[in-house]
Amino acid sequence: MTDPRKSGHIDEPEGTRPPVWRRSKRDLANVVWISFLTASVATMVFFAMVDPEVLSGHNTLGWHISRQTGYAFGFFGLWLLTGITSFLSVYLVRTERRARDFPAVHGQASAHAAPDDSADPDRRDP
Amino acid sequence: MNPTATPAGQPPESFYVAHQKIYAREVQGRFARLRNLAVVALLGIYYVLPWINWGGRQAVLFDLPERKFYVFGITFWPQDFFYMAWLLIIAALSLFFVTAIAGRLWCGYACPQTVWTEAFMWMERLTEGTHSRRRKLDQAPWSTEKLLRKGAKQFLWVGFALWTGITFVGFFSPARELFGRIATFSLGPWETFWCLFYGFATYGNAGFLREQVCKYMCPYARFQSAMFDKDTLVISYDAGRGEPRGGRKRKMDHRAAGMGDCIDCNMCVQVCPTGIDIRQGLQIECIACAACIDICDSVMDRMSYDRGLIRYTSDHAMREKRPLKMLRTRTIIYGALLLVLLAGFAFSIGVRTPLRLDAIRDRNTLYRELAGGDIENAFSLKLLNLDTRSHTYVLQLDAPEGMRLEIDSSGLTLESGEVRRIPVRVLTPRDALSAAGIDITFTVRAEGSPGMEASAESRFLGPPPGR
């Protein structure tokens, strides 16, 4: 290895720190990933209690599916459900009116409210 | 020199910029060796385990089509879900315990995200070279070499991801048979789907998303700070020793010149897989991989300064220059809880009998008075053979003198996994009945297997005595 000072400065342009993901991208990632994790756990718990073969046949649903199909449908069904929940939560939080939009209720609020809620709390000024 | 400063004349860092790739510099040292060891061990376990046999069957198999889990010699049934829940609680508490003591050790060494990313980066280095060569390759126009290098990388990545997916399915469907079906192109539709799904997830997470998962998507990364306190081991830059930082000649007496030990070589920033500057203090992006410690130690060696300008230490130890404090209320409570849970788990697995008996009273009639003066109660017993082989059982009643058991079915041989409902009657002479309700216990024993028994309690009901 050469002198770290040299190799450190010469071939590394400044600003290697990657920019923060766009908010919409972060929201999408959070919705998809967190709903995936919770759906995985929910699938595990649900199918430990319920045998998909019991649900199929003429007992309850009036169709016949194999266990493997049952597991897969169960997982994606739960993922859809957790995904919708996750999406709606994020949607409601994001479309909430900000404190400064309620002058009557928060007469003083605008003074100490953040100037712009869309600012990223994780963001560090360069 | 501030590594995050934007070049003059450009607008400040904005959110509306596509993610820039991080070209983390390769690093060698104590912690890199430790992490490589963890990667090899963990991936080794993952890829080898489905191929190990134990007692004529795959040692670890979560057989979903059959709804049985085989873990070495033990078979778990859906009825044993309780053990899995317990195990998950133990896992969560272990994470709390480790986090309280040594911070994000999990993130740096054991998280699948880290482990597979390391493996993918290793393949990337093999085909595209070091970080600076990768950067040049990305900036260069397309050429035969670029195509070959990129193609080779993708080939390795896709192959490895597919193999990961197949191995994953091999935990749920017998791996040897699965591989046979792949070789003969007769894989079932769901098996194919899950191989591809998990392979795709591996490729996406380890090849493409990488540290973005830790920064934006991981819930543990957000709440781990709740387990932290001022005595938790974290990776810190010793600002008191390092500042004021700056470039200098190697032989110069920097103390005399009023300078700290940090030569501002920026190596700690270059090696960071999440692209942060540890000198700005503890940050949520830090996954505690310790790459900055390794590289800084090597720089300190080169400068003939003491190691540890960046090191594992706690806030208290660093500020007040006192030794690390591992035994604290928090760690003692976490540790004690963990110990109790682990001991309970081991004990309950140890005394677990692969046999279950439930007794359900006939709900239609409380009791019947027979012509001969006997009182009769009907029960429905549910017997489950949870063992891996068939057994013949003997049923027995634990009750006061005079009470007897009558069974309709004669042979009580149950195959492995069989569940059987056994209607039984319990009779007693009316005179022998001392109270309106008497506790009774049914016990079932496996013939030729001492200690394998299960019991179920119930209640015998009759008319009040003396009526």
Side-chain angles (χ1 to χ4, degrees), chain A residues 21 98 107:
Chain A
W21 270 8
R98 296 177 200 135

Side-chain angles (χ1 to χ4, degrees), chain B residues 39-284:
Chain B
V39 167
V40 169
L42 291 171
L43 287 186
I45 290 173
Y46 177 80
Y47 289 104
V48 168
L49 212 51
W51 301 97
I52 295 176
N53 273 7
W54 185 278
R57 95 158 32 95
Q58 191 171 322
V60 177
L61 175 65
F62 306 111
D63 196 337
L64 290 179
E66 294 294 317
R67 292 179 70 75
K68 289 178 207 172
F69 288 2
Y70 304 102
V71 181
F72 293 94
I74 310 176
T75 309
F76 292 99
W77 299 77
Q79 288 84 356
D80 295 315
F81 177 72
F82 150 79
Y83 287 109
M84 198 160 76
W86 196 332
L87 215 53
L88 286 178
I89 294 172
I90 289 178
L93 200 64
S94 309
L95 192 61
F96 290 5
F97 181 60
V98 171
T99 307
I101 286 187
R104 296 174 69 171
L105 221 50
W106 164 260
C107 299
Y109 300 92
C111 178
Q113 183 63 37
T114 306
V115 167
W116 265 290
T117 298
E118 280 288 324
F120 271 65
M121 280 167 66
W122 181 77
M123 283 178 268
E124 193 169 58
R125 271 202 293 281
L126 199 71
T127 51
E128 293 187 354
T130 57
H131 72 298
S132 44
R133 294 188 57 176
R134 278 207 303 281
R135 186 195 300 275
K136 284 196 192 96
L137 191 71
D138 279 356
Q139 286 162 353
W142 282 96
S143 62
T144 320
E145 194 205 343
K146 184 167 175 176
L147 197 69
L148 277 177
R149 286 190 179 277
K150 291 266 173 195
K153 178 179 87 171
Q154 292 300 334
F155 177 76
L156 283 181
W157 277 10
V158 170
F160 189 69
L162 264 181
W163 188 248
T164 308
I166 293 167
T167 308
F168 178 74
V169 175
F171 276 96
F172 300 97
S173 177
R176 283 157 206 258
E177 294 164 30
L178 183 79
F179 197 69
R181 284 201 294 280
I182 291 172
T184 57
F185 297 102
S186 53
L187 206 61
W190 283 119
E191 286 169 339
T192 314
F193 172 77
W194 289 119
C195 284
L196 293 176
F197 183 85
Y198 200 81
F200 174 76
T202 307
Y203 180 92
N205 274 26
F208 179 66
L209 287 174
R210 298 195 173 170
E211 74 288 340
Q212 313 294 326
V213 175
C214 317
K215 279 162 78 170
Y216 301 119
M217 289 145 79
C218 178
Y220 170 68
R222 299 284 174 88
F223 68 65
Q224 40 87 22
S225 56
M227 273 91 75
F228 270 52
D229 55 34
K230 299 257 180 209
D231 288 303
T232 297
L233 271 181
V234 289
I235 293 172
S236 313
Y237 164 68
D238 195 340
R241 190 187 137 188
E243 300 295 322
R245 68 182 85 154
R248 77 283 308 264
K249 288 201 165 57
R250 195 182 296 187
K251 296 291 173 217
M252 116 185 209
D253 184 358
H254 61 290
R255 297 260 183 233
M259 293 173 92
D261 278 356
C262 177
I263 64 167
D264 202 14
C265 63
N266 256 350
M267 294 296 269
C268 52
V269 181
Q270 290 180 40
V271 296
C272 180
T274 66
I276 59 168
D277 185 348
I278 192 68
R279 293 170 299 179
Q280 292 173 353
L282 186 62
Q283 290 149 71
I284 194 144

